[in-house]
């Protein structure tokens, strides 16, 4: 049983780790632990990370100088196609453990084998529809007695019929998709016409309440840990992100929510974890809820993996000398049971993704990441900072910024603002005054030219 951070590091460092992710930031706890030797990603790492962590970074963005909406799988497919030009025979004979955001798909493993590298993957995740299909998940939720929004599954989207059932505003989702991809808010017939045809859709009543996410972890021995709750920032007015798209999280905002609602959400996560254990799943999962008009949590979906908020949870856990959830996830997937004190109290830690809202263009000027302070309406760099651990109470950390010369597509992220204070209203739907000033100040630091 691994119960301390030092034990976790000792175990993970027995074999050099390989990470595959869309953004290097999501594996920051693993980078801080020194258990990664190589990171493959779609977006580039921050400029000083290779030297700071002693890690070999390879990204599609660094090769193409383009930041767009390319998903994880096609992005890594293209990166691996280009990788032999950069590595030659340098990887011949190398062996990696997989300490990754997602599983290693068979084509990726074959491409790495062609480079001469061997990946020792963790125990496979059970091939169960409830783990990655939203339709199957909803059916499973109701079968185990978990409350969800009213929904239906259709092959053809008829606005008149759906409006009679759910009202003029409702949510349409493709069965597969993450980070808001494949999720649409429908307000009229015109919205439906924009959707590409699909074999089936999950259609749900729209609940305009606070969105929260709760981390859970299933251990090798079947024990379930319920971890901290964050308010999900998914529809922040004025930010420019589309409906349902992940825009960040706030671990302090739950302090403004009814304790009874949080207790019910935690109890639901414990129940789901026990059911997942019975299905053979091990490792992290995240449960996404929305609070209805009576402040009851309705379960929307389940993500059985590390999430976009896991790295920030890890920063909070490290500050409390607990084993970060990301490290526990990797260890459990390799069959090593872990235990770590779980604190559920709200604590200051926020990340906000700021999208590029202008036309696709090439960056001519970009700020340098690290610690910044807002002064006289502008952002001023005041030191190095890799994440929340280096952030003071009045600072912010700018992360995952594209470099000058990069072509940035409309809607692609310009970067993340990380703070110890909230940047939105308590329900996560509107930028508060300081959040607005920071977003405006960050955007003002970029200059573009037409492509």
């Amino acid at each position: 049983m691994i119960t301390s951070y030092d034990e976790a590091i000792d175990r993970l460092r027995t074999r050099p780790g390989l990470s595959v992710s869309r953004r290097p930031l999501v594996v920051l706890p693993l980078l801080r632990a020194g258990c990664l030797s190589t990171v493959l990603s779609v977006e580039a790492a921050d400029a000083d990370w290779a030297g700071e962590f002693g890690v070999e970074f390879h990204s599609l963005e660094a090769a193409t100088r383009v930041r767009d909406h390319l998903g994880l799988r096609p992005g890594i497919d293209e990166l691996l196609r280009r990788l032999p030009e950069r590595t030659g025979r340098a990887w011949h004979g190398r062996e990696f453990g997989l300490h990754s955001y997602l599983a290693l798909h068979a084509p990726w493993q074959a491409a790495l084998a062609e480079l001469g590298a061997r990946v020792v993957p963790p125990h496979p995740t059970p091939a169960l529809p409830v783990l990655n299909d939203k339709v199957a998940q909803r059916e499973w939720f109701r079968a185990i007695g978990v409350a969800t929004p009213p929904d239906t599954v259709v092959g053809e989207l008829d606005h008149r019929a759906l409006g009679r059932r759910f009202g003029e505003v409702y949510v349409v989702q493709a069965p597969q998709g993450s980070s808001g991809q494949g999720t649409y808010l429908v307000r009229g017939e015109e919205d439906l016409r924009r959707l590409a045809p699909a074999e089936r859709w999950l259609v749900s009543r729209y609940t305009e309440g606070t969105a929260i996410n709760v981390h859970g972890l299933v251990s090798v021995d079947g024990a379930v840990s319920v971890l901290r709750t964050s308010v999900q920032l998914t529809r922040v007015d004025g930010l420019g992100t589309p409906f349902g798209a992940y825009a960040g999280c706030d671990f302090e905002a739950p302090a403004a929510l009814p304790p009874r609602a949080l207790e019910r959400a935690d109890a639901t996560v414990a129940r789901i974890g026990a059911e997942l254990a019975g299905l053979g799943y091990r490792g992290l999962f995240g449960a996404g809820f929305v609070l209805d008009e009576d402040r009851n949590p309705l379960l929307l979906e389940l993500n059985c993996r590390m999430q976009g908020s896991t790295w920030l949870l890890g920063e909070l856990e490290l500050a409390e000398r607990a084993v970060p959830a990301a490290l526990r996830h990797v260890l459990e997937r390799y069959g090593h049971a872990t235990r770590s004190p779980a604190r559920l109290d709200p604590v200051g830690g926020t990340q906000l993704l700021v999208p590029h809202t202008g036309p696709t263009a090439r960056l001519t000027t970009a700020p340098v990441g690290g610690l910044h302070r807002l002064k006289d309406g502008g952002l001023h760099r005041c030191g190095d900072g890799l994440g929340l651990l280096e952030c003071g109470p009045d600072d912010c950390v700018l992360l995952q910024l594209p470099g000058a010369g990069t072509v940035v597509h409309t809607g692609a992220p310009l970067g993340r603002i990380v703070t110890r204070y909230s940047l939105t209203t308590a329900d996560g739907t509107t930028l508060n005054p300081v959040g607005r000033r920071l977003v405006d100040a960050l955007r003002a630091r970029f200059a573009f030219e037409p492509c």
Side-chain angles (χ1 to χ4, degrees), residues 295-315:
R295 313 294 268 176
N296 295 313
L298 302 179
L299 186 58
L300 301 178
E301 64 181 8
L302 195 64
N303 293 304
C304 291
R305 52 170 169 78
M306 287 191 275
Q307 302 177 94
S309 55
T310 304
W311 79 268
L312 188 57
L313 174 63
E315 297 283 272

Side-chain angles (χ1 to χ4, degrees), residues 25-334:
L25 179 62
V26 300
V27 291
L28 180 58
L30 297 165
L31 289 166
R32 288 195 188 274
C35 58
L36 290 176
S37 67
T38 305
V39 173
L40 306 180
S41 62
V42 182
E43 289 185 14
D46 284 24
D48 56 345
W49 278 28
E52 178 68 30
F53 296 118
V55 171
E56 186 179 344
F57 287 96
H58 297 279
S59 74
L60 184 62
E61 182 180 315
T64 63
R65 304 302 298 277
V66 172
R67 178 171 290 194
D68 56 18
H69 303 286
L70 200 60
L72 175 59
R73 289 191 67 167
I76 298 298
D77 287 345
E78 177 61 19
L79 174 63
L80 288 171
R81 189 185 69 78
R82 295 167 175 261
L83 205 54
E85 303 171 6
R86 302 183 62 178
T87 62
R89 292 182 55 82
W91 285 19
H92 189 77
R94 293 181 68 176
E95 181 176 282
F96 297 105
L98 182 67
H99 303 167
S100 183
Y101 186 75
L102 288 177
L104 194 66
H105 299 290
W108 298 352
Q109 189 144 359
L112 292 167
E114 289 181 7
L115 292 171
R118 175 175 177 262
V119 177
V120 181
H123 302 310
T125 297
L128 298 168
V130 298
L131 300 185
N132 55 28
D133 184 292
K134 290 181 173 62
V135 172
Q137 281 187 5
R138 288 288 180 90
E139 295 172 350
W140 184 63
F141 295 159
R142 285 190 285 270
I144 63 175
V146 174
T148 68
D151 62 54
T152 188
V153 180
V154 298
E156 183 176 345
L157 295 169
D158 182 329
H159 179 62
R160 183 174 298 178
L162 294 170
R164 283 196 301 266
R165 181 165 182 175
F166 298 114
E168 286 302 306
V169 181
Y170 51 88
V171 178
V172 172
Q173 292 178 289
Q176 277 82 34
S178 62
S179 299
Q181 295 180 349
T183 296
Y184 310 96
L185 184 67
V186 175
R187 298 182 182 274
E189 186 72 40
E190 188 63 31
D191 290 334
L192 290 183
R193 294 196 190 102
R194 298 191 186 102
L195 305 186
E199 291 185 4
R200 58 180 182 153
W201 298 96
L202 175 66
V203 184
S204 306
R205 179 178 295 167
Y206 174 54
T207 303
E208 192 171 2
T210 303
I212 63 174
N213 179 270
V214 185
H215 277 79
L217 184 138
V218 182
S219 188
V220 170
D221 57 8
V224 178
S225 301
V226 178
L227 308 177
R228 269 197 174 98
T229 299
S230 64
V231 167
Q232 294 286 83
L233 312 181
T234 59
R235 51 184 191 275
V236 183
D237 292 341
L239 188 61
T241 49
F243 174 80
Y246 183 75
C249 62
D250 185 331
F251 282 93
E252 186 175 39
L257 298 177
R260 181 60 177 160
L262 300 177
E263 291 167 5
R264 288 176 176 173
D266 288 348
T268 299
V269 169
R271 185 190 314 172
I272 290 171
E275 296 287 344
L276 287 174
L279 296 175
Y281 180 78
R282 298 295 183 268
L284 270 177
F285 65 94
F289 298 86
V290 63
L291 302 186
D292 67 12
E293 59 274 12
D294 296 320
R295 313 294 268 176
N296 295 313
L298 302 179
L299 186 58
L300 301 178
E301 64 181 8
L302 195 64
N303 293 304
C304 291
R305 52 170 169 78
M306 287 191 275
Q307 302 177 94
S309 55
T310 304
W311 79 268
L312 188 57
L313 174 63
E315 297 283 272
L316 300 172
E317 291 165 326
L318 281 173
E320 295 163 352
R321 305 188 65 80
V323 183
L327 274 66
R328 296 184 64 191
H329 176 69
V330 172
L331 289 164
E332 297 286 356
R333 299 282 290 108
Y334 275 97

